[in-house]
Amino acid sequence: MEPHRAAVILQDACYKHQYIRSKDLSQIVERPERIRAVKVGLAAALSRLESPKSSSSSSDDQDLVAALDRLKIGTVSPEAPVKVIRTAASLDILHDPAVKFIHGDVNGDVHAPRLKKLAEESWNKIANGESEIPQGLSQGDLYLCPESILAMEGALGAVCEAVDTVMACNDGISRAFAVIRPPGHHCGEDTPEGFCFVNNVAVAAAHGQLLSPHLKHSISRVVIFDIDLHHGNGTQSIVWQINEESYRKTLESEGGAPNVKPGPRIYYGSIHDVLSYPCEDGKPHLVQAASVSLHGSHGQYIENVHLQTYESEAHFFDELYAKKYRTVFDKAQEFLDSTGGPGDDVLFFISCGMDACEHEYESMSRHNRKVPTAFYHRFTRDACAMADRYSRGRLVTVLEGGYSDLALISGAMAHVLGLTAIDVDEEWWSLDNLQALEKLTKKRRGGKQSLGAPWIERAGAILSTIDDGFTKWSSPVVPMKLRDRPSRRNSPAATPQKGKAPPPKQEVEEDPRVEEEEDNESPPLQSKKLPKVILRLGPDPSS
């Protein structure tokens, strides 16, 4: 059988979501530069795919340098096992049927219009000394700017283009990685939180469903693997609601009700740290949700596995991965076998967070529940193998978390290589190589500088062809007389600290890991289907 090809879909509109509440970005980890770090990992993977054995021989290195000097280009061969697609696709957040299916409300569409209004008003709110995020929603892990909606619509367009690409299987592409932000797996039906405003994977799954009103593809069974460090509470909540409705239709049909169409069925399997957000405060309902294991009963197919510390890579893969973490695959197989086995109605997703990576900020992964970089290659290969058996190889992966450059570069490199059938050398993502690659995220000054091995130089050339979309916003500065300026002492527009509302007259908190006080009021934007939770990060990782 011909090897599967993969596509990586880039949407530069995702750069547009930026923090403008102040010029102090020291506590902002969900930042536009995350996309560039992923592109560095992608460029590294593409470079290694061109010459996977080049690092073993100095003569080979010299031949590669000579070839590059002759070519003087950074383009990737059209026959490469990974195709880079730069898309301008966008979904109308107010009118797209898939968005309405996931983020609509029984009382009418509320969530998307509210987001759009908040983004449009953000500049003026901040200029007037107010926060653009209303009371009742977390000030610490949510922010908006006027172009945030364009970023969200671009992200949704990219993930849905990924679905269309693998369903059509053009050029033999059956796997696609959508490099997008802001992330989505913490957002429920109408509950933005944890950096997330819309649920990208859930909307993509709805985009592919046959039985929804917006007929697009013949998908009625969906498998979602979530490997972010944090539990995807928003995705699980949405999956639960969809399965609950489908189960109700099944019972009605079995009871003799006429003309009842079966609903879609979704499996959600997550590997995460139950000590981290959204469970860090130990609230029972959040910890319980992040620990659910339910298969078939009440029409639900959900498996949650908790990360543990590992002593070595051998311990990780031989003990934890083989005997514990692979449970998400075993339960997915049970789900598919019990609902009809392999078929054209099956589609796989990976919510691919990279914040569990060994190279993530210590402040993000304070409980030491990490995974080695090789996990992102091994898990991806195993997910692809399952997709080969059950869905003709069709699999869509979507960027979720991952915040340090090293975590994103290494995770993306290993993940993209895992989407191919190419044998790899894990030395490719050694710390020395990653640190050399990290230099690609910095602008070069003083002319051309050597980055080391030829394949890293080649990665730099490839990067130059896929990264030119980042334009930085400035914070709104409104000229006014000194006596007219609002006091920063009481201004919510001061720099937010992760996991709490903006502090009074304090630009950088030494230790922001303090608990947000509960709001006793009932503001109109208070979450209703998912409780308000708090993302608590540690000190600035650069300090």
Side-chain angles (χ1 to χ4, degrees):
M1 184 175 68
E2 184 178 344
H4 295 280
R5 293 187 72 205
V8 177
I9 298 180
L10 307 175
Q11 167 54 290
D12 284 341
C14 293
Y15 282 125
K16 295 180 181 293
H17 177 57
Q18 298 180 32
Y19 180 80
I20 61 170
R21 205 177 299 168
S22 85
K23 294 182 179 180
D24 179 8
L25 304 180
S26 61
Q27 298 286 302
I28 307 305
V29 294
E30 204 298 285
R31 64 202 198 285
E33 291 84 354
R34 296 177 59 232
I35 297 293
R36 192 164 201 266
V38 173
K39 288 180 178 180
V40 172
L42 166 61
L46 293 172
S47 175
R48 300 309 304 191
L49 287 170
E50 289 180 346
S51 184
K53 296 180 181 179
S54 63
S55 62
S56 62
S57 167
S58 59
S59 61
D60 288 345
D61 283 351
Q62 294 170 358
D63 291 343
L64 180 58
V65 171
L68 292 177
D69 286 340
R70 289 193 301 270
L71 290 174
K72 299 295 183 184
I73 56 175
T75 55
V76 179
S77 167
E79 288 78 34
V82 176
K83 180 180 181 180
V84 177
I85 300 174
R86 301 188 68 177
T87 184
S90 178
L91 256 61
D92 186 335
I93 199 171
L94 297 182
H95 302 107
D96 185 84
V99 179
K100 285 178 173 287
F101 184 77
I102 296 300
H103 292 293
D105 189 88
V106 293
N107 298 318
D109 294 328
V110 175
H111 179 60
R114 184 172 63 196
L115 279 182
K116 191 174 181 69
K117 186 172 185 290
L118 291 173
E120 290 172 346
E121 296 175 347
S122 61
W123 189 273
N124 289 335
K125 287 273 191 183
I126 293 169
N128 290 329
E130 304 174 56
S131 172
E132 79 285 13
I133 301 298
Q135 293 299 314
L137 298 178
S138 174
Q139 302 290 314
D141 54 61
L142 296 175
Y143 65 83
L144 289 166
C145 74
E147 290 199 315
S148 290
I149 294 299
L150 296 179
M152 296 174 203
E153 291 181 331
L156 293 171
V159 295
C160 290
E161 180 167 329
V163 171
D164 295 342
T165 299
V166 302
M167 293 301 296
C169 202
N170 292 331
D171 297 326
I173 295 172
S174 61
R175 301 156 184 171
F177 176 29
V179 180
I180 55 94
R181 62 174 288 275
H185 74 149
H186 291 307
C187 185
E189 179 183 334
D190 60 354
T191 53
E193 61 182 67
F195 306 142
C196 305
F197 293 89
V198 291
N199 197 300
N200 303 301
V201 167
V203 171
H207 179 78
Q209 290 170 7
L210 169 67
L211 299 172
S212 297
H214 50 276
L215 308 179
K216 183 64 180 179
H217 296 298
S218 57
I219 300 302
S220 61
R221 291 180 294 163
V222 171
V223 171
I224 301 173
F225 297 122
D226 192 332
I227 55 174
D228 194 274
L229 174 69
H230 308 100
H231 180 235
N233 54 322
T235 303
Q236 181 171 304
S237 173
I238 290 170
V239 167
W240 189 286
Q241 293 177 62
I242 292 173
N243 284 342
E244 183 179 41
E245 176 64 14
S246 297
Y247 186 59
R248 181 188 63 79
K249 291 180 178 180
T250 298
L251 294 180
E252 289 179 356
S253 178
E254 293 174 350
N259 303 320
V260 178
K261 294 182 178 180
R265 289 168 290 185
I266 306 178
Y267 166 84
Y268 176 75
S270 176
I271 305 172
H272 57 268
D273 176 19
V274 76
L275 299 177
S276 292
Y277 176 90
C279 304
E280 195 161 32
D281 291 329
K283 294 180 179 178
H285 54 287
L286 295 174
V287 174
Q288 289 166 8
S291 307
V292 168
S293 177
L294 193 61
H295 303 280
S297 299
H298 305 287
Q300 300 298 336
Y301 305 92
I302 294 173
E303 180 68 14
N304 285 289
V305 178
H306 299 162
L307 287 169
Q308 298 179 5
T309 58
Y310 68 94
E311 300 169 1
S312 63
E313 287 209 19
H315 174 243
F316 180 89
F317 285 110
D318 295 343
E319 294 296 324
L320 297 179
Y321 186 80
K323 299 177 182 179
K324 185 176 179 68
Y325 302 156
R326 280 194 56 87
T327 302
V328 297
F329 291 121
D330 298 336
K331 295 301 182 180
Q333 181 173 331
E334 290 179 11
F335 160 70
L336 292 170
D337 288 342
S338 66
T339 55
D344 289 337
D345 64 324
V346 178
L347 182 60
F348 284 77
F349 288 90
I350 301 177
S351 271
C352 192
M354 299 174 184
D355 41 2
C357 179
E358 60 185 311
H359 301 298
E360 184 55 275
Y361 294 138
E362 291 298 326
S363 57
M364 179 63 70
S365 183
R366 294 189 300 280
H367 308 288
N368 202 32
R369 266 60 175 176
K370 301 180 180 181
V371 300
T373 300
F375 165 81
Y376 295 100
H377 181 263
R378 178 79 64 85
F379 188 93
T380 305
R381 290 288 293 268
D382 289 346
C384 288
M386 177 167 278
D388 287 345
R389 295 197 302 273
Y390 285 94
S391 65
R392 300 183 184 272
R394 297 177 305 195
L395 178 146
V396 172
T397 83
V398 179
L399 181 65
E400 296 284 359
Y403 302 99
S404 79
D405 286 347
L406 285 181
L408 290 164
I409 292 169
S410 61
M413 182 184 184
H415 179 59
V416 170
L417 289 168
L419 293 172
T420 74
I422 305 299
D423 292 332
V424 303
D425 181 348
E426 293 185 8
E427 183 65 21
W428 292 351
W429 48 74
S430 68
L431 185 57
D432 287 344
N433 284 337
L434 292 177
Q435 289 173 337
L437 288 166
E438 189 178 24
K439 294 179 182 178
L440 297 178
T441 65
K442 319 299 180 187
K443 290 185 178 180
R444 300 191 196 185
R445 296 180 180 178
K448 185 176 180 181
Q449 302 173 26
S450 174
L451 294 173
W455 71 270
I456 295 179
E457 292 284 351
R458 172 61 177 155
I462 295 172
L463 178 66
S464 68
T465 69
I466 60 176
D467 185 59
D468 58 3
F470 181 30
T471 301
K472 193 169 184 178
W473 273 87
S474 296
S475 298
V477 178
V478 180
M480 62 180 70
K481 296 180 180 179
L482 181 62
R483 64 175 177 271
D484 295 329
R485 293 179 183 173
S487 170
R488 287 182 60 86
R489 182 176 301 277
N490 299 314
S491 170
T495 302
Q497 306 302 310
K498 292 298 178 180
K500 61 180 290 186
K505 197 177 182 180
Q506 189 171 6
E507 295 200 359
V508 180
E509 182 95 84
E510 289 186 2
D511 187 356
R513 291 171 290 180
V514 296
E515 201 169 316
E516 182 178 18
E517 294 182 2
E518 292 294 331
D519 190 350
N520 294 323
E521 298 179 348
S522 298
L525 295 179
Q526 180 71 34
S527 305
K528 19 173 224 187
K529 294 185 175 59
L530 289 177
K532 181 177 69 175
V533 290
I534 304 163
L535 181 60
R536 299 179 359 190
L537 303 184
D540 176 15
S542 65
S543 63

